[in-house]
Amino acid sequence: MGEERSENKHGVVGRRVNRRDFAKTSVAAGAAVALPGTLRGEVAAEGKATEAAALPNYGRSHRPALPPDPGGYGGPDIEQEAGRRREPARHGYPGGWRERTTIPGEYYNDERHYLADERFIAENLWLYVDHQSRIPNPGDYFVFEFGRSESVIIVRSSDGEVRGFHNVCRHRGSRLCRHDADPTPGDPRLSVKQLGQSGSSPVFRCPYHAWTYDTDGNLIYAYGMQDDFDPADNGLVPCHLGTVEGSIFVNLSRAQEPPELDAAVAQMRALTERYGVADLTIAAREQYPIKANWKLALENFQECYHCGPSHQALSTTHHYDYEATPQQLAAQTAKVHAWVPEKARRDRQGGMDGMAGSDGSQYKPETSGHLNPGFVTGSLDGKPVAPLLPNIDAWNHETQNATTAHSTGYWQCYDDHVAIARFTPRDVNRTDCEIIWLVHPDAVEGRDYDPDNVKALWHVTIQEDIWITDNNHAGIRSDAYRSGRYSGAETGPAGFVKWYMSEVVTPGDH
Ligand code: FES
Ligand code: FE
């Protein structure tokens, strides 16, 4: 019906969500099962929707069409190859901006634009949050933060479902779980107690006046309230949430109906199904704050024009050909084909190439790639970093990637591990980046893998990316910055900023 479930061999239930499915989740999350009497073992009323579930339907009435993601590093400049005019005479963009050029500095620097961007993203995009294995047991939770002020509790509820609730007490609005790093060292003379940014708890108790909610978001304790106060109308406000192949997504729209999830994750679903990402387990996690506007962080992740100059380790491992001349490309390809087994090349050709997503997106061969001779995985020395993934029966000498929401979520898959990068806008010149690395669920740390080895390639690469992205924004803040020309190898960011200027920037924003 509205929900598809699949149970893997480890008993983890995969859940695919569509709109009807979400509607069910929303109502369930806000259902009127919460009464102080619950604490005394009384049976609660069922099926009564709370005002928390009846969210006001405002914001943009028009949901803009989201073009398919470019899929990682973009591809060749088709128009240039076809000999067409490179700069079509297009007019009508804000500030006289022209396609195939970088956008004016105000869209990276102006707080008003940032706040409009933030609202647009909240209303229209599904944001990748984390992998389901982070919260395997009922009561396990963590806090996901977006923008300047949004904070969401992602929790495994008592029935095993993953749910999301805004981290805002329904009494007077306090945060239930910490919205920043826990203070250390704690002063033992202070009596205020509050849950941290992640952990496990059967209830969420507000530190202010002790209103208490269960893991389904129901208010189960509030003392001293009037007779006409109904706890059932004061459950936590749910957010739109869906889990796809083990990856949790949220949409923070205030509207009752979220954007279509299936279309937004079509490409990512195809890839992560193949690599069995839902069943994998987290081997390592690292945070990499970026001092740059969110668009610069995403632009950087949609092109590999910078990989030669800026990513020596990554370019040594991955086989990139975007900057090569036809002669260089032919020579490189011959070298790779001499190294990659014939069967692996055939499988790749007949497997993912040309796969279509439900949103019309294509799995693009150029977004995946062979590894360079001597490398079987994404490691610094080319050697394996963990056992082969359960779905992979031999070293295929390749790596493949997929993205969602214009690269706010980014999956890079190898035969023995998967790296997932998350980019989250936080302020006009601040973007959170977090990477998690996943390995075979039966792999044992210390015996089968060393987390530092699993992390090594992307730990180096993302620090290089942060360096160049911070540095990019530093230059764009200058009065001397002018729109520059994207190269033919930067169709990813060129398409991204075209989408931004067409769909995100509205007449009222400029
Ligand atoms: Fe949470 Fe008062 S603000 S109990
Ligand atoms: Fe990079």
PDB file of all heavy atoms in Angstrom, residues 79 92 110 159 194 216 234-235 283 319 326 346 349 362 372 383 427 430 443 452 454 471 477 491 500 503:
ATOM      1  N   GLU A  79      27.310  20.840 -25.334  1.00  0.00           N
ATOM      2  CA  GLU A  79      27.109  21.873 -26.353  1.00  0.00           C
ATOM      3  C   GLU A  79      28.420  22.226 -27.040  1.00  0.00           C
ATOM      4  O   GLU A  79      28.467  22.447 -28.247  1.00  0.00           O
ATOM      5  CB  GLU A  79      26.486  23.114 -25.719  1.00  0.00           C
ATOM      6  CG  GLU A  79      25.039  22.884 -25.313  1.00  0.00           C
ATOM      7  CD  GLU A  79      24.320  24.172 -25.032  1.00  0.00           C
ATOM      8  OE1 GLU A  79      24.948  25.234 -25.076  1.00  0.00           O
ATOM      9  OE2 GLU A  79      23.125  24.107 -24.766  1.00  0.00           O
ATOM     10  N   GLY A  92      17.121  38.063 -18.759  1.00  0.00           N
ATOM     11  CA  GLY A  92      16.032  37.971 -17.795  1.00  0.00           C
ATOM     12  C   GLY A  92      16.436  37.419 -16.441  1.00  0.00           C
ATOM     13  O   GLY A  92      15.601  37.320 -15.564  1.00  0.00           O
ATOM     14  N   ASP A 110      25.033  37.967   0.953  1.00  0.00           N
ATOM     15  CA  ASP A 110      23.941  38.759   1.532  1.00  0.00           C
ATOM     16  C   ASP A 110      23.053  37.878   2.412  1.00  0.00           C
ATOM     17  O   ASP A 110      22.525  36.861   1.960  1.00  0.00           O
ATOM     18  CB  ASP A 110      23.122  39.388   0.395  1.00  0.00           C
ATOM     19  CG  ASP A 110      22.127  40.417   0.917  1.00  0.00           C
ATOM     20  OD1 ASP A 110      21.504  40.172   1.965  1.00  0.00           O
ATOM     21  OD2 ASP A 110      21.974  41.458   0.247  1.00  0.00           O
ATOM     22  N   ASP A 159       8.148   1.377  18.659  1.00  0.00           N
ATOM     23  CA  ASP A 159       7.713   0.359  17.695  1.00  0.00           C
ATOM     24  C   ASP A 159       8.774   0.048  16.644  1.00  0.00           C
ATOM     25  O   ASP A 159       8.516  -0.691  15.702  1.00  0.00           O
ATOM     26  CB  ASP A 159       6.412   0.798  17.009  1.00  0.00           C
ATOM     27  CG  ASP A 159       6.586   2.084  16.209  1.00  0.00           C
ATOM     28  OD1 ASP A 159       7.700   2.634  16.194  1.00  0.00           O
ATOM     29  OD2 ASP A 159       5.596   2.538  15.603  1.00  0.00           O
ATOM     30  N   GLN A 194      19.928  18.009  31.105  1.00  0.00           N
ATOM     31  CA  GLN A 194      19.399  18.014  29.742  1.00  0.00           C
ATOM     32  C   GLN A 194      20.085  16.938  28.921  1.00  0.00           C
ATOM     33  O   GLN A 194      21.290  16.699  29.063  1.00  0.00           O
ATOM     34  CB  GLN A 194      19.645  19.384  29.088  1.00  0.00           C
ATOM     35  CG  GLN A 194      19.023  19.512  27.711  1.00  0.00           C
ATOM     36  CD  GLN A 194      19.048  20.943  27.188  1.00  0.00           C
ATOM     37  OE1 GLN A 194      19.713  21.804  27.751  1.00  0.00           O
ATOM     38  NE2 GLN A 194      18.309  21.190  26.122  1.00  0.00           N
ATOM     39  N   ASP A 216       7.442   8.554  20.779  1.00  0.00           N
ATOM     40  CA  ASP A 216       6.487   8.794  19.700  1.00  0.00           C
ATOM     41  C   ASP A 216       6.072  10.263  19.644  1.00  0.00           C
ATOM     42  O   ASP A 216       5.184  10.636  18.881  1.00  0.00           O
ATOM     43  CB  ASP A 216       5.233   7.939  19.882  1.00  0.00           C
ATOM     44  CG  ASP A 216       5.527   6.461  19.682  1.00  0.00           C
ATOM     45  OD1 ASP A 216       6.457   6.154  18.894  1.00  0.00           O
ATOM     46  OD2 ASP A 216       4.863   5.629  20.310  1.00  0.00           O
ATOM     47  N   ASN A 234      -0.715  18.530  22.699  1.00  0.00           N
ATOM     48  CA  ASN A 234       0.580  19.161  22.964  1.00  0.00           C
ATOM     49  C   ASN A 234       1.756  18.213  22.752  1.00  0.00           C
ATOM     50  O   ASN A 234       2.761  18.285  23.461  1.00  0.00           O
ATOM     51  CB  ASN A 234       0.589  19.731  24.390  1.00  0.00           C
ATOM     52  CG  ASN A 234      -0.288  20.973  24.501  1.00  0.00           C
ATOM     53  OD1 ASN A 234       0.152  22.080  24.229  1.00  0.00           O
ATOM     54  ND2 ASN A 234      -1.556  20.769  24.860  1.00  0.00           N
ATOM     55  N   GLY A 235       1.594  17.321  21.777  1.00  0.00           N
ATOM     56  CA  GLY A 235       2.716  16.456  21.414  1.00  0.00           C
ATOM     57  C   GLY A 235       3.763  17.232  20.637  1.00  0.00           C
ATOM     58  O   GLY A 235       3.519  18.339  20.145  1.00  0.00           O
ATOM     59  N   ALA A 283      31.555   2.664  10.420  1.00  0.00           N
ATOM     60  CA  ALA A 283      32.906   2.400  10.941  1.00  0.00           C
ATOM     61  C   ALA A 283      33.543   3.654  11.504  1.00  0.00           C
ATOM     62  O   ALA A 283      34.378   3.582  12.406  1.00  0.00           O
ATOM     63  CB  ALA A 283      33.795   1.840   9.818  1.00  0.00           C
ATOM     64  N   HIS A 319      40.159   7.228 -11.449  1.00  0.00           N
ATOM     65  CA  HIS A 319      40.511   7.477 -12.846  1.00  0.00           C
ATOM     66  C   HIS A 319      39.623   8.597 -13.368  1.00  0.00           C
ATOM     67  O   HIS A 319      38.423   8.400 -13.591  1.00  0.00           O
ATOM     68  CB  HIS A 319      40.284   6.201 -13.662  1.00  0.00           C
ATOM     69  CG  HIS A 319      40.418   6.410 -15.135  1.00  0.00           C
ATOM     70  ND1 HIS A 319      41.602   6.768 -15.719  1.00  0.00           N
ATOM     71  CD2 HIS A 319      39.517   6.301 -16.144  1.00  0.00           C
ATOM     72  CE1 HIS A 319      41.429   6.875 -17.026  1.00  0.00           C
ATOM     73  NE2 HIS A 319      40.174   6.609 -17.310  1.00  0.00           N
ATOM     74  N   PRO A 326      41.957  13.989 -26.103  1.00  0.00           N
ATOM     75  CA  PRO A 326      41.523  12.683 -26.618  1.00  0.00           C
ATOM     76  C   PRO A 326      42.657  11.663 -26.627  1.00  0.00           C
ATOM     77  O   PRO A 326      42.447  10.483 -26.334  1.00  0.00           O
ATOM     78  CB  PRO A 326      41.047  13.011 -28.042  1.00  0.00           C
ATOM     79  CG  PRO A 326      40.620  14.435 -27.969  1.00  0.00           C
ATOM     80  CD  PRO A 326      41.553  15.093 -26.995  1.00  0.00           C
ATOM     81  N   ARG A 346      32.431  -5.681 -18.263  1.00  0.00           N
ATOM     82  CA  ARG A 346      31.163  -6.113 -18.872  1.00  0.00           C
ATOM     83  C   ARG A 346      30.021  -5.913 -17.900  1.00  0.00           C
ATOM     84  O   ARG A 346      28.971  -5.384 -18.240  1.00  0.00           O
ATOM     85  CB  ARG A 346      31.254  -7.591 -19.253  1.00  0.00           C
ATOM     86  CG  ARG A 346      31.542  -7.852 -20.721  1.00  0.00           C
ATOM     87  CD  ARG A 346      31.093  -9.252 -21.136  1.00  0.00           C
ATOM     88  NE  ARG A 346      31.187 -10.260 -20.102  1.00  0.00           N
ATOM     89  CZ  ARG A 346      32.255 -11.020 -19.880  1.00  0.00           C
ATOM     90  NH1 ARG A 346      33.336 -10.846 -20.606  1.00  0.00           N
ATOM     91  NH2 ARG A 346      32.258 -11.935 -18.930  1.00  0.00           N
ATOM     92  N   GLN A 349      29.120  -2.307 -17.599  1.00  0.00           N
ATOM     93  CA  GLN A 349      28.426  -1.814 -18.783  1.00  0.00           C
ATOM     94  C   GLN A 349      26.968  -2.271 -18.788  1.00  0.00           C
ATOM     95  O   GLN A 349      26.065  -1.512 -19.093  1.00  0.00           O
ATOM     96  CB  GLN A 349      29.128  -2.321 -20.044  1.00  0.00           C
ATOM     97  CG  GLN A 349      28.697  -1.615 -21.324  1.00  0.00           C
ATOM     98  CD  GLN A 349      29.070  -0.135 -21.280  1.00  0.00           C
ATOM     99  OE1 GLN A 349      30.100   0.226 -20.742  1.00  0.00           O
ATOM    100  NE2 GLN A 349      28.205   0.702 -21.812  1.00  0.00           N
ATOM    101  N   GLN A 362      19.193  10.063 -15.071  1.00  0.00           N
ATOM    102  CA  GLN A 362      19.904   8.904 -15.583  1.00  0.00           C
ATOM    103  C   GLN A 362      21.082   8.602 -14.685  1.00  0.00           C
ATOM    104  O   GLN A 362      21.708   9.513 -14.162  1.00  0.00           O
ATOM    105  CB  GLN A 362      20.434   9.196 -16.994  1.00  0.00           C
ATOM    106  CG  GLN A 362      19.366   9.222 -18.048  1.00  0.00           C
ATOM    107  CD  GLN A 362      18.997   7.827 -18.525  1.00  0.00           C
ATOM    108  OE1 GLN A 362      19.850   6.965 -18.611  1.00  0.00           O
ATOM    109  NE2 GLN A 362      17.736   7.600 -18.811  1.00  0.00           N
ATOM    110  N   ASN A 372      42.387   3.655 -10.692  1.00  0.00           N
ATOM    111  CA  ASN A 372      43.634   3.599 -11.442  1.00  0.00           C
ATOM    112  C   ASN A 372      44.360   2.277 -11.199  1.00  0.00           C
ATOM    113  O   ASN A 372      44.133   1.619 -10.164  1.00  0.00           O
ATOM    114  CB  ASN A 372      44.526   4.779 -11.047  1.00  0.00           C
ATOM    115  CG  ASN A 372      44.108   6.050 -11.768  1.00  0.00           C
ATOM    116  OD1 ASN A 372      43.727   6.006 -12.945  1.00  0.00           O
ATOM    117  ND2 ASN A 372      44.164   7.167 -11.080  1.00  0.00           N
ATOM    118  N   LYS A 383      45.408  -0.560  -1.403  1.00  0.00           N
ATOM    119  CA  LYS A 383      45.068  -1.853  -0.814  1.00  0.00           C
ATOM    120  C   LYS A 383      43.685  -1.804  -0.176  1.00  0.00           C
ATOM    121  O   LYS A 383      43.188  -0.728   0.185  1.00  0.00           O
ATOM    122  CB  LYS A 383      46.102  -2.229   0.241  1.00  0.00           C
ATOM    123  CG  LYS A 383      47.510  -2.419  -0.313  1.00  0.00           C
ATOM    124  CD  LYS A 383      48.396  -3.056   0.750  1.00  0.00           C
ATOM    125  CE  LYS A 383      49.777  -3.373   0.185  1.00  0.00           C
ATOM    126  NZ  LYS A 383      50.602  -2.191   0.011  1.00  0.00           N
ATOM    127  N   ASP A 427      24.491  28.963   7.881  1.00  0.00           N
ATOM    128  CA  ASP A 427      24.420  30.428   7.889  1.00  0.00           C
ATOM    129  C   ASP A 427      24.990  30.911   6.562  1.00  0.00           C
ATOM    130  O   ASP A 427      25.457  30.101   5.756  1.00  0.00           O
ATOM    131  CB  ASP A 427      25.185  31.011   9.085  1.00  0.00           C
ATOM    132  CG  ASP A 427      24.564  32.326   9.548  1.00  0.00           C
ATOM    133  OD1 ASP A 427      23.966  33.027   8.706  1.00  0.00           O
ATOM    134  OD2 ASP A 427      24.677  32.652  10.747  1.00  0.00           O
ATOM    135  N   ARG A 430      28.515  29.698   6.447  1.00  0.00           N
ATOM    136  CA  ARG A 430      28.820  28.526   7.277  1.00  0.00           C
ATOM    137  C   ARG A 430      28.011  27.330   6.780  1.00  0.00           C
ATOM    138  O   ARG A 430      26.792  27.407   6.646  1.00  0.00           O
ATOM    139  CB  ARG A 430      28.451  28.841   8.731  1.00  0.00           C
ATOM    140  CG  ARG A 430      28.757  27.724   9.700  1.00  0.00           C
ATOM    141  CD  ARG A 430      28.399  28.152  11.121  1.00  0.00           C
ATOM    142  NE  ARG A 430      28.097  26.991  11.928  1.00  0.00           N
ATOM    143  CZ  ARG A 430      27.123  26.923  12.838  1.00  0.00           C
ATOM    144  NH1 ARG A 430      26.363  27.985  13.060  1.00  0.00           N
ATOM    145  NH2 ARG A 430      26.921  25.837  13.523  1.00  0.00           N
ATOM    146  N   ALA A 443      32.031  -6.948   9.952  1.00  0.00           N
ATOM    147  CA  ALA A 443      33.450  -6.597  10.115  1.00  0.00           C
ATOM    148  C   ALA A 443      33.699  -6.108  11.537  1.00  0.00           C
ATOM    149  O   ALA A 443      32.888  -5.375  12.115  1.00  0.00           O
ATOM    150  CB  ALA A 443      33.834  -5.518   9.110  1.00  0.00           C
ATOM    151  N   ASP A 452      41.006   4.434  10.782  1.00  0.00           N
ATOM    152  CA  ASP A 452      41.852   5.466  10.171  1.00  0.00           C
ATOM    153  C   ASP A 452      42.172   5.132   8.713  1.00  0.00           C
ATOM    154  O   ASP A 452      42.292   6.023   7.879  1.00  0.00           O
ATOM    155  CB  ASP A 452      43.149   5.636  10.970  1.00  0.00           C
ATOM    156  CG  ASP A 452      42.904   6.375  12.281  1.00  0.00           C
ATOM    157  OD1 ASP A 452      41.856   7.048  12.389  1.00  0.00           O
ATOM    158  OD2 ASP A 452      43.733   6.251  13.197  1.00  0.00           O
ATOM    159  N   VAL A 454      40.158   3.251   6.761  1.00  0.00           N
ATOM    160  CA  VAL A 454      38.898   3.391   6.020  1.00  0.00           C
ATOM    161  C   VAL A 454      38.673   4.859   5.658  1.00  0.00           C
ATOM    162  O   VAL A 454      38.255   5.202   4.550  1.00  0.00           O
ATOM    163  CB  VAL A 454      37.709   2.851   6.855  1.00  0.00           C
ATOM    164  CG1 VAL A 454      36.390   3.064   6.127  1.00  0.00           C
ATOM    165  CG2 VAL A 454      37.912   1.368   7.179  1.00  0.00           C
ATOM    166  N   ASN A 471      38.591  29.248   0.915  1.00  0.00           N
ATOM    167  CA  ASN A 471      39.417  30.207   0.193  1.00  0.00           C
ATOM    168  C   ASN A 471      38.630  30.859  -0.939  1.00  0.00           C
ATOM    169  O   ASN A 471      38.771  32.059  -1.217  1.00  0.00           O
ATOM    170  CB  ASN A 471      40.633  29.457  -0.361  1.00  0.00           C
ATOM    171  CG  ASN A 471      41.687  30.377  -0.889  1.00  0.00           C
ATOM    172  OD1 ASN A 471      42.138  31.265  -0.174  1.00  0.00           O
ATOM    173  ND2 ASN A 471      42.082  30.185  -2.134  1.00  0.00           N
ATOM    174  N   ARG A 477      34.116  37.486  -1.248  1.00  0.00           N
ATOM    175  CA  ARG A 477      33.689  38.604  -0.389  1.00  0.00           C
ATOM    176  C   ARG A 477      34.292  39.938  -0.847  1.00  0.00           C
ATOM    177  O   ARG A 477      33.824  40.996  -0.469  1.00  0.00           O
ATOM    178  CB  ARG A 477      34.105  38.341   1.066  1.00  0.00           C
ATOM    179  CG  ARG A 477      33.292  37.263   1.725  1.00  0.00           C
ATOM    180  CD  ARG A 477      33.490  37.267   3.230  1.00  0.00           C
ATOM    181  NE  ARG A 477      32.942  36.054   3.780  1.00  0.00           N
ATOM    182  CZ  ARG A 477      33.667  34.986   4.099  1.00  0.00           C
ATOM    183  NH1 ARG A 477      34.966  35.002   3.950  1.00  0.00           N
ATOM    184  NH2 ARG A 477      33.086  33.914   4.569  1.00  0.00           N
ATOM    185  N   THR A 491      30.179  21.546 -15.945  1.00  0.00           N
ATOM    186  CA  THR A 491      28.744  21.575 -16.257  1.00  0.00           C
ATOM    187  C   THR A 491      27.908  21.349 -15.012  1.00  0.00           C
ATOM    188  O   THR A 491      26.768  21.799 -14.935  1.00  0.00           O
ATOM    189  CB  THR A 491      28.403  20.501 -17.301  1.00  0.00           C
ATOM    190  OG1 THR A 491      28.894  19.242 -16.839  1.00  0.00           O
ATOM    191  CG2 THR A 491      29.021  20.838 -18.646  1.00  0.00           C
ATOM    192  N   TYR A 500      19.574  27.490  -9.529  1.00  0.00           N
ATOM    193  CA  TYR A 500      19.432  28.421  -8.405  1.00  0.00           C
ATOM    194  C   TYR A 500      18.830  29.747  -8.877  1.00  0.00           C
ATOM    195  O   TYR A 500      17.874  30.253  -8.281  1.00  0.00           O
ATOM    196  CB  TYR A 500      20.799  28.650  -7.753  1.00  0.00           C
ATOM    197  CG  TYR A 500      20.758  29.659  -6.638  1.00  0.00           C
ATOM    198  CD1 TYR A 500      20.258  29.329  -5.382  1.00  0.00           C
ATOM    199  CD2 TYR A 500      21.198  30.970  -6.853  1.00  0.00           C
ATOM    200  CE1 TYR A 500      20.199  30.270  -4.362  1.00  0.00           C
ATOM    201  CE2 TYR A 500      21.142  31.912  -5.843  1.00  0.00           C
ATOM    202  CZ  TYR A 500      20.640  31.556  -4.603  1.00  0.00           C
ATOM    203  OH  TYR A 500      20.567  32.487  -3.599  1.00  0.00           O
ATOM    204  N   GLU A 503      15.085  28.948 -10.157  1.00  0.00           N
ATOM    205  CA  GLU A 503      14.059  28.372  -9.295  1.00  0.00           C
ATOM    206  C   GLU A 503      14.095  28.880  -7.855  1.00  0.00           C
ATOM    207  O   GLU A 503      13.072  28.925  -7.185  1.00  0.00           O
ATOM    208  CB  GLU A 503      14.206  26.846  -9.261  1.00  0.00           C
ATOM    209  CG  GLU A 503      13.998  26.179 -10.618  1.00  0.00           C
ATOM    210  CD  GLU A 503      12.545  26.164 -11.039  1.00  0.00           C
ATOM    211  OE1 GLU A 503      11.666  26.482 -10.209  1.00  0.00           O
ATOM    212  OE2 GLU A 503      12.277  25.844 -12.206  1.00  0.00           O
TER     213      GLU A 503
END
